[in-house]
Amino acid sequence: MPDLVLPSPVAQRLTRLARQRGEPRTDPRGIRRRRANDLGACARLAVLSTACARRPSSWRGWLDADEVVEAWVAERQGELLGHVALCEVNRDARSGMRWREVTGHPASDLLAVSRLFVRPRVRSQGLGTALLEMAVAGARARGRIPVLEAVGAGREELRLYEDQGWRPVALCPARHRSDGLDAHFYLAPRASA
C-alpha cells in the first residue's frame, strides 16, 4: 500500500484560513479563481506559453481587460501553470453581429472562453482540458452559452477543443488582419442533463 501523504501543517493552516475568509476551495486539479495579485505571474506565463496571433501591447491589460468577466488559474505547489478567462463577446457591434450569425444566439446569451494557455513543460497533462471545463461550467453557471474564437490556432489547440466536443460553427478571415490568419469559431458541447 502506498504511503499516505498528509498536507503539511502550513498547507492545512492556509486551507483553514481560506475557509474562514469564505474563499472558495481549490479544485483537486489545482484550479482556482484568479486573484488580483496573480496578474504579474499570469502575464509572464502568457508570454512564455502563448503563440498569440495578436501580441497585446500590455499582457497585464489583456488579461484584465474590461470584457473579462471571470478568470481561473491552475496552480501546483505555488507555481502558476495555466490560465483561462470568460469574456463578453460583444466588444463591438461587429463582433456581436458575427457571433449572432455563426451561433444563432444574441451576443448577450454568450460568453467566450478566452486567454487559455498552459506552461509548455506541463502540456499533455490535462490542465488545458481542466481549465476549459472550468470556464464552460462558469459560463453555464451564469446562464450563458460558452463559445470560443481561436485565431491562428495550431492543429494541437483545435484538437483540444474538438476532443472535448466543441463544434466548429464557422471559419472566417480574422478581423482586422492582413496576414491571412483564420478565426475558428466554436460552440461548446451541449450540457448533459
Side-chain angles (χ1 to χ4, degrees):
M1 183 166 119
D3 293 334
L4 179 64
V5 178
L6 297 173
S8 72
V10 172
Q12 291 173 345
R13 182 151 195 257
L14 288 173
T15 301
R16 277 194 308 276
L17 285 171
R19 285 187 194 140
Q20 289 169 357
R21 292 181 184 151
E23 294 176 15
R25 287 188 200 169
T26 302
D27 167 286
R29 300 165 295 184
I31 297 174
R32 62 169 172 78
R33 280 192 178 90
R34 186 186 72 198
R35 300 179 196 124
N37 63 349
D38 291 327
L39 279 174
C42 289
R44 289 187 295 279
L45 181 58
V47 171
L48 175 69
S49 307
T50 317
C52 274
R54 175 196 74 161
R55 294 277 179 186
S57 58
S58 165
W59 287 97
R60 283 178 81 116
W62 177 69
L63 289 168
D64 201 32
D66 289 340
E67 69 261 15
V68 176
V69 174
E70 191 167 10
W72 297 268
V73 294
E75 178 182 41
R76 256 190 231 143
Q77 298 175 344
E79 180 184 23
L80 290 183
L81 301 174
H83 180 276
V84 69
L86 282 175
C87 298
E88 295 291 347
V89 298
N90 55 353
R91 295 179 296 267
D92 56 54
R94 185 176 179 181
S95 176
M97 187 170 57
R98 181 173 275 186
W99 276 109
R100 183 180 194 102
E101 288 173 359
V102 301
T103 65
H105 296 278
S108 60
D109 288 354
L110 310 173
L111 274 176
V113 175
S114 182
R115 293 148 174 87
L116 173 62
F117 47 88
V118 173
R119 187 174 295 277
R121 70 176 165 71
V122 295
R123 288 186 181 151
S124 300
Q125 294 181 15
L127 284 177
T129 299
L131 287 163
L132 194 58
E133 289 171 355
M134 183 65 76
V136 167
R140 289 190 173 134
R142 292 172 179 272
R144 310 277 283 279
I145 301 166
V147 296
L148 67 83
E149 176 183 3
V151 177
R155 189 65 217 141
E156 182 181 323
E157 183 180 347
L158 298 177
R159 191 172 348 157
L160 168 68
Y161 306 138
E162 292 166 9
D163 287 351
Q164 296 305 309
W166 287 76
R167 294 170 293 154
V169 291
L171 175 65
C172 309
R175 60 181 170 213
H176 311 301
R177 299 297 300 203
S178 59
D179 52 13
L181 292 176
D182 290 325
H184 300 259
F185 292 82
Y186 282 87
L187 191 58
R190 297 190 199 297
S192 52

